[in-house]
Amino acid sequence: MPASNEKAAGAERSRPIGVFDSGIGGLTVVSALRALLPNESIFYLGDTARVPYGGKSAATVQRYSLEIASMLLEENAKTVVVACNTASAVALPQLTESVPVRVTGVILPGAQAAVAATRSGHVGVIGTRATIKSGAYERALRSLNPEIRVTARACPLLVPLIEEGWLEQPITDQIILKYVGPLVDEGIDTLVLGCTHYPLLRKAMARLLGDSITLVDSAQNCANAVRDLLVRENLRAPETDTGRLQVALTDQPDSFLRVAREALQLDVGEIQLREVSPHVHQ
Ligand code: DGL
């Protein structure tokens, strides 16, 4: 390859991975990406002006997701990662169709991890109302193993508790047990944490549910899927690159940023602000 072409290909591969979530919970995915792909730069965009997505209609979440993905393209993203279960559950087909770079969601990677983990073949899924209503996890799990039994439950109170930083409080324990206890009684042996906030409750859930329930979060598997995609598309950043993390939000950061930063031990640097621009990519 002529030197000028090689330089151009290097510049192409040094473009950031664009990651978005309705808010800050998607930093759990960023944390996994940073650990796995230290040479990759990441531009994270959290739609904090409009969080939560979990109680909104599919049409609204689709519109928001297309707008946020367009903003990532303006940041020169070489690929887009949907680090939000709600957006992955209801907007992935629209994103895949209208975004001119490859898009990775969190549902399929989470389902793959659950299918690999279950021994009894009975998997529990928890998430926001929109995620559970969409049936996206059931479809993904059954596409991987048609025999699998799935029990899903919306847990709308967990996101506010996490954002409040109540990760290890008796009231949080009670609510976890109220939501998840019936799934355990029904015989699940694997529980998919189908919301990017929930890994912050992983410790509490492991303590409450014990060793007999395997907890699956999609962050690690999603990072693996992104690595495989970059390799396949010849988009891996050059090894000489030092991956840089930029975090932007659509509204001023609130106290949840501190909670996530501490829980994930992630250096998010100075937070940038971006105004939501109307959806342009058709
Ligand atoms: N990030 C969302 C998800 O993973 C949870 C927060 C919300 O409702 O927007 O489903």
Side-chain angles (χ1 to χ4, degrees), residues 21-22 51-54 84-86 128 131 159 194-197:
D21 178 34
S22 55
V51 72
Y53 284 8
C84 173
N85 283 264
T86 305
T128 64
T131 298
V159 165
C195 171
T196 42
H197 278 57

PDB file of all heavy atoms in Angstrom, residues 21-22 51-54 84-86 128 131 159 194-197, ligand 1:
ATOM      1  N   ASP A  21     -26.270   6.319  25.163  1.00  0.00           N
ATOM      2  CA  ASP A  21     -27.266   5.797  26.108  1.00  0.00           C
ATOM      3  C   ASP A  21     -28.253   6.919  26.376  1.00  0.00           C
ATOM      4  O   ASP A  21     -27.979   8.085  26.068  1.00  0.00           O
ATOM      5  CB  ASP A  21     -26.565   5.379  27.412  1.00  0.00           C
ATOM      6  CG  ASP A  21     -27.551   4.866  28.457  1.00  0.00           C
ATOM      7  OD1 ASP A  21     -28.558   4.238  28.085  1.00  0.00           O
ATOM      8  OD2 ASP A  21     -27.329   5.094  29.659  1.00  0.00           O
ATOM      9  N   SER A  22     -29.380   6.571  26.977  1.00  0.00           N
ATOM     10  CA  SER A  22     -30.338   7.602  27.373  1.00  0.00           C
ATOM     11  C   SER A  22     -29.722   8.522  28.432  1.00  0.00           C
ATOM     12  O   SER A  22     -30.160   9.646  28.596  1.00  0.00           O
ATOM     13  CB  SER A  22     -31.585   6.935  27.947  1.00  0.00           C
ATOM     14  OG  SER A  22     -31.221   6.072  29.005  1.00  0.00           O
ATOM     15  N   VAL A  51     -33.551  11.657  29.410  1.00  0.00           N
ATOM     16  CA  VAL A  51     -33.622  10.415  30.185  1.00  0.00           C
ATOM     17  C   VAL A  51     -34.815  10.517  31.147  1.00  0.00           C
ATOM     18  O   VAL A  51     -35.119  11.626  31.596  1.00  0.00           O
ATOM     19  CB  VAL A  51     -32.286  10.202  30.965  1.00  0.00           C
ATOM     20  CG1 VAL A  51     -32.131  11.173  32.130  1.00  0.00           C
ATOM     21  CG2 VAL A  51     -32.102   8.768  31.408  1.00  0.00           C
ATOM     22  N   PRO A  52     -35.541   9.476  31.482  1.00  0.00           N
ATOM     23  CA  PRO A  52     -35.363   8.099  31.052  1.00  0.00           C
ATOM     24  C   PRO A  52     -36.111   7.797  29.751  1.00  0.00           C
ATOM     25  O   PRO A  52     -37.120   8.417  29.447  1.00  0.00           O
ATOM     26  CB  PRO A  52     -35.984   7.312  32.208  1.00  0.00           C
ATOM     27  CG  PRO A  52     -37.089   8.198  32.713  1.00  0.00           C
ATOM     28  CD  PRO A  52     -36.603   9.615  32.507  1.00  0.00           C
ATOM     29  N   TYR A  53     -35.586   6.834  28.994  1.00  0.00           N
ATOM     30  CA  TYR A  53     -36.272   6.340  27.794  1.00  0.00           C
ATOM     31  C   TYR A  53     -37.245   5.196  28.163  1.00  0.00           C
ATOM     32  O   TYR A  53     -38.163   4.893  27.409  1.00  0.00           O
ATOM     33  CB  TYR A  53     -35.257   5.750  26.797  1.00  0.00           C
ATOM     34  CG  TYR A  53     -34.421   6.739  26.002  1.00  0.00           C
ATOM     35  CD1 TYR A  53     -34.420   8.100  26.265  1.00  0.00           C
ATOM     36  CD2 TYR A  53     -33.609   6.267  24.950  1.00  0.00           C
ATOM     37  CE1 TYR A  53     -33.628   8.974  25.507  1.00  0.00           C
ATOM     38  CE2 TYR A  53     -32.833   7.132  24.191  1.00  0.00           C
ATOM     39  CZ  TYR A  53     -32.841   8.487  24.482  1.00  0.00           C
ATOM     40  OH  TYR A  53     -32.064   9.330  23.730  1.00  0.00           O
ATOM     41  N   GLY A  54     -36.975   4.567  29.310  1.00  0.00           N
ATOM     42  CA  GLY A  54     -37.622   3.286  29.639  1.00  0.00           C
ATOM     43  C   GLY A  54     -39.132   3.303  29.749  1.00  0.00           C
ATOM     44  O   GLY A  54     -39.769   2.276  29.591  1.00  0.00           O
ATOM     45  N   CYS A  84     -27.674   1.106  25.485  1.00  0.00           N
ATOM     46  CA  CYS A  84     -28.944   1.324  26.190  1.00  0.00           C
ATOM     47  C   CYS A  84     -29.854   0.174  25.777  1.00  0.00           C
ATOM     48  O   CYS A  84     -30.073  -0.043  24.579  1.00  0.00           O
ATOM     49  CB  CYS A  84     -29.531   2.661  25.762  1.00  0.00           C
ATOM     50  SG  CYS A  84     -31.197   2.971  26.397  1.00  0.00           S
ATOM     51  N   ASN A  85     -30.337  -0.556  26.763  1.00  0.00           N
ATOM     52  CA  ASN A  85     -31.196  -1.693  26.426  1.00  0.00           C
ATOM     53  C   ASN A  85     -32.506  -1.252  25.803  1.00  0.00           C
ATOM     54  O   ASN A  85     -33.010  -1.891  24.885  1.00  0.00           O
ATOM     55  CB  ASN A  85     -31.488  -2.512  27.688  1.00  0.00           C
ATOM     56  CG  ASN A  85     -30.323  -3.370  28.077  1.00  0.00           C
ATOM     57  OD1 ASN A  85     -30.265  -4.538  27.744  1.00  0.00           O
ATOM     58  ND2 ASN A  85     -29.347  -2.793  28.764  1.00  0.00           N
ATOM     59  N   THR A  86     -33.064  -0.137  26.309  1.00  0.00           N
ATOM     60  CA  THR A  86     -34.348   0.314  25.784  1.00  0.00           C
ATOM     61  C   THR A  86     -34.213   0.682  24.308  1.00  0.00           C
ATOM     62  O   THR A  86     -35.008   0.259  23.465  1.00  0.00           O
ATOM     63  CB  THR A  86     -34.860   1.513  26.613  1.00  0.00           C
ATOM     64  OG1 THR A  86     -34.891   1.132  27.992  1.00  0.00           O
ATOM     65  CG2 THR A  86     -36.234   1.939  26.167  1.00  0.00           C
ATOM     66  N   THR A 128     -36.324  -2.198  31.725  1.00  0.00           N
ATOM     67  CA  THR A 128     -37.328  -1.128  31.817  1.00  0.00           C
ATOM     68  C   THR A 128     -38.645  -1.636  31.224  1.00  0.00           C
ATOM     69  O   THR A 128     -38.680  -2.670  30.548  1.00  0.00           O
ATOM     70  CB  THR A 128     -36.877   0.114  31.026  1.00  0.00           C
ATOM     71  OG1 THR A 128     -36.799  -0.240  29.641  1.00  0.00           O
ATOM     72  CG2 THR A 128     -35.547   0.656  31.515  1.00  0.00           C
ATOM     73  N   THR A 131     -38.343  -2.024  27.398  1.00  0.00           N
ATOM     74  CA  THR A 131     -37.527  -3.189  26.994  1.00  0.00           C
ATOM     75  C   THR A 131     -38.328  -4.474  27.148  1.00  0.00           C
ATOM     76  O   THR A 131     -38.372  -5.308  26.234  1.00  0.00           O
ATOM     77  CB  THR A 131     -36.236  -3.265  27.843  1.00  0.00           C
ATOM     78  OG1 THR A 131     -35.478  -2.088  27.591  1.00  0.00           O
ATOM     79  CG2 THR A 131     -35.405  -4.494  27.522  1.00  0.00           C
ATOM     80  N   VAL A 159     -34.102   1.959  38.337  1.00  0.00           N
ATOM     81  CA  VAL A 159     -33.289   3.061  37.779  1.00  0.00           C
ATOM     82  C   VAL A 159     -33.246   4.262  38.739  1.00  0.00           C
ATOM     83  O   VAL A 159     -32.160   4.755  39.067  1.00  0.00           O
ATOM     84  CB  VAL A 159     -33.757   3.440  36.354  1.00  0.00           C
ATOM     85  CG1 VAL A 159     -33.192   4.781  35.918  1.00  0.00           C
ATOM     86  CG2 VAL A 159     -33.330   2.350  35.355  1.00  0.00           C
ATOM     87  N   GLY A 194     -31.037  -6.564  32.101  1.00  0.00           N
ATOM     88  CA  GLY A 194     -31.332  -5.980  30.793  1.00  0.00           C
ATOM     89  C   GLY A 194     -31.528  -4.473  30.817  1.00  0.00           C
ATOM     90  O   GLY A 194     -32.461  -3.958  30.201  1.00  0.00           O
ATOM     91  N   CYS A 195     -30.657  -3.794  31.500  1.00  0.00           N
ATOM     92  CA  CYS A 195     -30.696  -2.329  31.567  1.00  0.00           C
ATOM     93  C   CYS A 195     -29.280  -1.906  31.930  1.00  0.00           C
ATOM     94  O   CYS A 195     -28.661  -2.512  32.813  1.00  0.00           O
ATOM     95  CB  CYS A 195     -31.683  -1.889  32.644  1.00  0.00           C
ATOM     96  SG  CYS A 195     -31.614  -0.116  32.995  1.00  0.00           S
ATOM     97  N   THR A 196     -28.789  -0.882  31.250  1.00  0.00           N
ATOM     98  CA  THR A 196     -27.377  -0.535  31.469  1.00  0.00           C
ATOM     99  C   THR A 196     -27.111   0.046  32.860  1.00  0.00           C
ATOM    100  O   THR A 196     -25.966   0.125  33.278  1.00  0.00           O
ATOM    101  CB  THR A 196     -26.885   0.438  30.380  1.00  0.00           C
ATOM    102  OG1 THR A 196     -27.889   1.414  30.142  1.00  0.00           O
ATOM    103  CG2 THR A 196     -26.568  -0.290  29.103  1.00  0.00           C
ATOM    104  N   HIS A 197     -28.159   0.424  33.577  1.00  0.00           N
ATOM    105  CA  HIS A 197     -27.955   0.871  34.966  1.00  0.00           C
ATOM    106  C   HIS A 197     -27.683  -0.315  35.908  1.00  0.00           C
ATOM    107  O   HIS A 197     -27.015  -0.160  36.918  1.00  0.00           O
ATOM    108  CB  HIS A 197     -29.215   1.556  35.496  1.00  0.00           C
ATOM    109  CG  HIS A 197     -29.380   2.987  35.103  1.00  0.00           C
ATOM    110  ND1 HIS A 197     -29.413   3.400  33.806  1.00  0.00           N
ATOM    111  CD2 HIS A 197     -29.541   4.107  35.858  1.00  0.00           C
ATOM    112  CE1 HIS A 197     -29.618   4.718  33.779  1.00  0.00           C
ATOM    113  NE2 HIS A 197     -29.687   5.165  35.005  1.00  0.00           N
TER     114      HIS A 197
HETATM  115  N1  DGL B   1     -30.393   3.160  29.762  1.00  0.00           N
HETATM  116  C1  DGL B   1     -31.697   2.591  29.911  1.00  0.00           C
HETATM  117  C2  DGL B   1     -31.663   1.117  29.547  1.00  0.00           C
HETATM  118  O1  DGL B   1     -30.616   0.503  29.470  1.00  0.00           O
HETATM  119  C3  DGL B   1     -32.226   2.763  31.319  1.00  0.00           C
HETATM  120  C4  DGL B   1     -32.590   4.158  31.685  1.00  0.00           C
HETATM  121  C5  DGL B   1     -33.784   4.705  30.918  1.00  0.00           C
HETATM  122  O2  DGL B   1     -34.923   4.322  31.207  1.00  0.00           O
HETATM  123  O3  DGL B   1     -33.526   5.507  30.039  1.00  0.00           O
HETATM  124  O4  DGL B   1     -32.702   0.550  29.327  1.00  0.00           O
END
